[in-house]
Amino acid sequence: MKSLVCLKQVPDTETQIKVNPEGTGIVTEGIKHIINPYDEFSVEEALRLKEKFKEGEVVILAIGPDRATESIRTALAMGADRGIHVNDPAVNTADPFAVAQALAAAAKDVQYDVIFCGHRAIDDDFCEVGAMLAEFLGLPQVTLVTKVEVAADKKSAILERDIEGGKETVEVPLPCVVTSQKGLNEPRYASLPGIMKAKKKPIDAKNAAALGVSVEAKLQSKEYSMPPERKAGKKIEGLEPPDAAKQVVQALRNEAKII
Amino acid sequence: MDYLLTDEQKMARDMARKFADSELKPIADRLDREHTHSPEVVKALGEMGVMGVAVPVEYGGGGMDYVSYALIVAEISRACGGTGTLVAAHNSLYCYPMLKFGAEQQKQRYLVPAASGQSVGCYALTEANAGSDPAALRTTARLDGDSWVINGEKKFISNGNIADYVVFAATTDRSKGYKGISQFVCDVRETPGYKVGRVEEKMGINASGTAELIFEDARIPKENILGEPGSGLRQMLATLDSGRISIAAQALGIGRAVLEESLEYAQQREQFGRPISDFQAIQWKLADMATQLDAAELLIWRAALLEDKGLPFEKEAAMAKMFASDVAMHAAIEGVQILGGYGYCRDYPMERHMRDAKITQIYEGTNEIQRLVIARNLLKKRK
C-alpha cells in the first residue's frame, strides 16, 4: 500500500500571530512551526495502511522554506519512509493554484495508491489544494474523510466523510485523493528510535525548475490585517427583569441587528 | 539556547513536550490528589522509547544520548513532577545499572522488557539507617546452593510499589565493610520472600509511589549478582552520579512550569488598575527565576554532554543537581508568592510545584552531600 502524503508546515496553534509592519504577511521570526494538524492525520492514516497491508511506502511531500525539513523529519520519525522537499521561493509563498501545480508535478515521479492532503491548512485556510491537486492529476477526490477502508486488492476504497449533521459513505476507485478531517485517527507520537532512524532517511530537495513547472499564481495577496479588537459589552442595569429583557431585545434588534 | 542542540535532541525534546502538554499536564492534578501514576502514560512512554531513553535500541530502548534524556525528563517534569520521578528512577536507577553492569544474559532477561516499557524497574539502595551513607547498609545476601538468600528492608524506594524488577544492594560479607557490598537484580514476581511494605505518604511527587521493600529469606538465582562480587559500592556511586543529572533535569522542568505559570498569572492579574507584571517587585522575581533556570539548564547540559563523551562528570553532575534543585525550590517559593492567596490554594498547580520541587533537594544525594562531592573534587585537584 503506497501513499503520498502532502504536508504543510504551519505556525503552532499556540503562537500569537502578529502582522508584519508592511501588512504583507505575518511575523515569522521566533515562531514555532508544526505539521499542519490535518496533515498529521494524513501521515498517521498512511502509516496505518502500510502497517495493515504489511508492505508499501509512505512518501512525504512538502513545499516550504528550509525549516519545512523539520516537519518532514518529524513525519519520518513517526515512520514515513522518505521525503520530497520542494523548496523554491517562487512556490513557497504562492497561491493554492501554483502550490497544487507544483505538488502535481512532484507527484508524477511517485508511485501511490492514495494521495492524502489535509482538508485545510490551519494558517491560510484556503481548503483548495487537495481538490486542485486531484483535478491536475485527473484523479477522483473525496473530501473531509474520517474513515478509510481500502479493499484487499487495493483497487478501491470505502470512505466515510463528514457531511452536515452526519456521515456519508462513498466508494472510490484507487488511486484517488483523500482530504483528511479531524476524527480520522489519533496521530502517534514520534518515537526515539524513530527519530534516530529519520536522520538516515532520504529527503529529495527540488525546485520549480527541477519539477518543470512555471509558477503562475492566480491570486495575489494584497494585505493582511488583524481582526478589529472586540468592543466592550453593554450592560443593562437598574431595571426590573421584564423591562431589562425588553431593552436587551431592542438592543439585539436595533443595535446588534442579529434578530 | 536551541542552537546548542542537535536536530535529534530538539526533536526528542519537542516530542516529549508535545506528549507532556497533551497527555500528562491535563491529568497531573488528578495524579497528585489520588496519589497514583497513570499506567496509560507509562505504556505510551514505553512505546515512544522514553522508558529506556539512553538504552541502545537492541535492548529495547530509545538509543538516544544523555542530553536528550535530560531534555525529556525536564519536559515530563514540567507537566508532572511525580511522573518525572517515575521516569527518572526507572531510567537512571534501574536501566542504567542493568546496562552498565549487567551481563548479556541479564540484559536480555531483565533490561529488555523494562527499557521497552513493559515493566517498571526500581533501585533499592536506601535503608532506614543507610541514606547518605550507603556503606552502612544491613541487607544481607547469603549464598545457599544455587540461590542467594536475601534478608533486609529497603526504604524510600521510588517505583517500589509498581516495580516488577528490582536492582538492590546487599552485603555478602559484613566484615569486609563496603568491599563486601554487591548489587543484584530480581524479578519480584519470581521471588518468594519478597514483598512491598508501607507506601509512604509524601509531601509531593505523588504520581510516583515510594515504598518499603521487604526481603525475608527471599531467594534469587545465584547468577543474579551484577558484576564482580564486592563491586557494589563502585556500581552504586556510578549509578548515582548519572542519576543526578536526571534529578537536575526534573528540578529544571518543575522550575520551568513555575516560571511559565508565574508569567501568565502576573500578566493577567490586575491590582491598582494594572497587571502586577508592571510592578518592579514582580519583574525582579521573574527575571531572577528565568536567569537561574537558564543557568541550571546549561549546567545540566554540560554534565550530560560530558557523560555522552565518556568523560568524568561526577563534579559537574553534583553541581547541576544541587544548583537546579535549589533554584527550582526558590522559583517555586517565589511562584507561590506571586500568585499570593491563589498560589497557596490547590486550584492552581503552583503549590504542587512547590511540594514537588522540595524533594529534588533531598533525594539522589542531599544537596549537602552534593556540596561535599563538589568540594572533594576541588580539593583532590589541589593535592
Side-chain angles (χ1 to χ4, degrees):
Chain A
M1 183 72 203
K2 292 180 174 167
S3 302
L4 176 62
V5 177
C6 302
L7 181 151
K8 185 178 188 183
Q9 191 184 46
V10 295
D12 191 351
T13 40
E14 306 272 308
T15 304
Q16 218 171 352
I17 299 294
K18 283 190 196 121
V19 173
N20 66 25
E22 302 79 38
T24 55
I26 62 164
V27 179
T28 52
E29 210 160 280
I31 278 190
K32 195 169 133 33
H33 289 85
I34 58 168
I35 299 176
N36 176 39
Y38 295 93
D39 299 342
E40 220 175 4
F41 300 139
S42 297
V43 175
E44 177 63 34
E45 200 60 24
L47 292 173
R48 288 187 190 185
L49 286 173
K50 183 187 161 188
E51 285 159 5
K52 190 173 166 195
F53 282 86
K54 297 189 176 67
E55 50 83 24
E57 191 182 31
V58 176
V59 180
I60 306 296
L61 171 56
I63 296 176
D66 292 349
R67 60 172 154 75
T69 310
E70 295 163 20
S71 290
I72 299 175
R73 286 265 177 238
T74 303
L76 298 180
M78 288 170 73
D81 298 286
R82 64 186 176 93
I84 301 167
H85 183 182
V86 179
N87 186 354
D88 192 314
V91 189
N92 294 350
T93 52
D95 74 340
F97 184 87
V99 164
Q101 269 188 325
L103 291 175
K108 292 222 165 81
D109 302 330
V110 183
Q111 287 191 332
Y112 51 82
D113 299 301
V114 178
I115 298 180
F116 285 98
C117 291
H119 95 85
R120 67 185 177 104
I122 61 160
D123 54 355
D124 60 26
D125 267 340
F126 272 116
C127 310
E128 290 178 5
V129 169
M132 287 186 188
L133 174 61
E135 286 304 308
F136 289 143
L137 295 172
L139 295 176
Q141 52 164 311
V142 186
T143 55
L144 293 163
V145 170
T146 54
K147 194 174 171 190
V148 176
E149 289 285 350
V150 174
D153 63 2
K154 294 181 282 182
K155 294 224 158 69
S156 66
I158 306 275
L159 306 174
E160 219 173 75
R161 57 187 301 275
D162 267 357
I163 52 169
E164 186 65 39
K167 298 268 182 201
E168 180 185 20
T169 306
V170 298
E171 184 168 8
V172 63
L174 299 187
C176 75
V177 173
V178 165
T179 71
S180 307
Q181 165 68 321
K182 191 176 163 72
L184 179 59
N185 54 47
E186 280 285 328
R188 71 195 63 188
Y189 291 91
S191 72
L192 297 178
I195 289 171
M196 295 312 279
K197 271 186 218 152
K199 197 177 167 178
K200 297 183 190 102
K201 290 177 180 173
I203 298 178
D204 249 357
K206 294 196 169 165
N207 57 21
L211 293 173
V213 289
S214 57
V215 181
E216 295 167 52
K218 304 284 182 194
L219 300 178
Q220 205 74 50
S221 156
K222 287 289 184 199
E223 194 196 348
Y224 280 74
S225 58
M226 295 300 283
E229 270 195 42
R230 266 173 58 180
K231 288 182 198 143
K234 186 175 177 179
K235 231 178 186 175
I236 294 163
E237 283 173 307
L239 294 176
E240 288 299 308
D243 296 330
K246 273 182 204 155
Q247 292 258 331
V248 170
V249 170
Q250 278 200 344
L252 289 174
R253 187 166 285 155
N254 301 331
E255 290 173 43
K257 298 190 169 65
I258 56 170
I259 55 172
Chain B
M1 301 195 282
D2 259 26
Y3 56 88
L4 294 173
L5 301 173
T6 66
D7 288 345
E8 288 70 36
Q9 289 163 348
K10 278 186 273 189
M11 280 173 84
R13 185 210 41 206
D14 290 349
M15 170 207 80
R17 180 175 296 173
K18 191 174 169 192
F19 178 86
D21 280 344
S22 14
E23 318 286 338
L24 193 51
K25 206 171 165 185
I27 61 167
D29 179 58
R30 177 176 69 76
L31 299 180
D32 176 54
R33 282 171 198 267
E34 296 177 4
H35 291 211
T36 184
H37 72 293
S38 160
E40 297 78 30
V41 163
V42 172
K43 183 168 177 278
L45 290 174
E47 283 161 7
M48 289 155 64
V50 172
M51 294 304 272
V53 177
V55 174
V57 176
E58 58 265 36
Y59 294 119
M64 302 291 283
D65 54 20
Y66 285 96
V67 171
S68 303
Y69 172 50
L71 293 166
I72 290 169
V73 170
E75 290 302 329
I76 290 170
S77 307
R78 196 172 59 92
C80 173
T83 305
T85 301
L86 192 159
V87 170
H90 173 90
N91 272 277
S92 287
L93 300 182
Y94 180 78
C95 292
Y96 180 93
M98 284 312 299
L99 179 68
K100 297 289 172 182
F101 313 120
E104 183 56 29
Q105 276 192 331
Q106 291 172 333
K107 286 181 196 170
Q108 293 298 342
R109 170 81 178 73
Y110 297 102
L111 177 58
V112 172
S116 56
Q118 296 157 41
S119 279
V120 174
C122 72
Y123 184 55
L125 172 59
T126 301
E127 296 176 7
N129 296 310
S132 295
D133 176 16
L137 63 86
R138 282 163 187 258
T139 298
T140 57
R142 176 174 56 82
L143 202 54
D144 180 32
D146 284 343
S147 326
W148 291 99
V149 179
I150 315 296
N151 277 290
E153 288 177 13
K154 296 290 180 179
K155 202 169 171 65
F156 299 139
I157 307 308
S158 300
N159 296 347
N161 58 329
I162 57 166
D164 287 333
Y165 302 118
V166 185
V167 166
F168 63 93
T171 172
T172 52
D173 187 347
R174 206 175 283 165
S175 68
K176 286 188 184 164
Y178 68 83
K179 285 181 181 157
I181 297 172
S182 294
Q183 296 205 110
F184 304 83
V185 62
C186 73
D187 181 333
V188 303
R189 295 162 298 188
E190 298 169 0
T191 307
Y194 167 90
K195 67 175 181 195
V196 176
R198 202 166 83 107
V199 179
E200 304 293 340
E201 284 276 331
K202 302 191 300 293
M203 176 193 276
I205 53 162
N206 287 318
S208 155
T210 306
E212 204 174 44
L213 307 184
I214 299 164
F215 296 87
E216 233 176 78
D217 287 329
R219 280 184 176 267
I220 66 165
K222 187 182 170 186
E223 62 271 19
N224 281 22
I225 188 166
L226 291 186
E228 292 297 310
S231 58
L233 190 78
R234 186 181 57 79
Q235 294 177 5
M236 266 179 221
L237 295 177
T239 302
L240 294 176
D241 279 345
S242 180
R244 275 165 194 159
I245 301 175
S246 70
I247 300 308
Q250 180 192 23
L252 174 72
I254 296 168
R256 290 265 179 239
V258 167
L259 176 60
E260 279 166 29
E261 288 158 27
S262 299
L263 281 169
E264 199 184 322
Y265 183 88
Q267 289 174 91
Q268 74 183 28
R269 168 75 172 173
E270 289 193 7
Q271 291 289 277
F272 308 103
R274 48 187 173 149
I276 60 169
S277 59
D278 278 5
F279 299 115
Q280 197 181 46
I282 302 295
Q283 289 177 0
W284 284 24
K285 289 188 201 298
L286 296 170
D288 284 350
M289 262 186 217
T291 307
Q292 290 166 1
L293 290 169
D294 278 6
E297 180 142 34
L298 288 171
L299 282 177
I300 293 169
W301 291 1
R302 176 180 72 166
L305 202 59
L306 288 171
E307 183 169 19
D308 281 328
K309 292 195 178 300
L311 296 166
F313 62 94
E314 182 190 47
K315 180 185 71 182
E316 289 76 9
M319 285 177 168
K321 193 273 187 190
M322 176 195 88
F323 188 76
S325 58
D326 281 352
V327 303
M329 190 63 213
H330 180 70
I333 290 170
E334 293 292 58
V336 169
Q337 192 70 21
I338 290 170
L339 267 68
Y342 293 107
Y344 198 70
C345 293
R346 296 195 78 164
D347 294 346
Y348 282 82
M350 195 59 88
E351 60 84 35
R352 167 164 57 87
H353 299 323
M354 185 166 156
R355 290 184 286 111
D356 287 353
K358 183 61 206 172
I359 190 62
T360 62
Q361 295 179 302
I362 298 170
Y363 66 5
E364 204 95 2
T366 61
N367 280 6
E368 290 71 22
I369 289 289
Q370 307 302 331
R371 287 175 169 89
L372 204 69
V373 169
I374 297 163
R376 274 185 193 156
N377 271 276
L378 297 173
L379 296 167
K380 195 164 64 186
K381 289 229 168 93
R382 305 222 31 181
K383 271 182 191 165

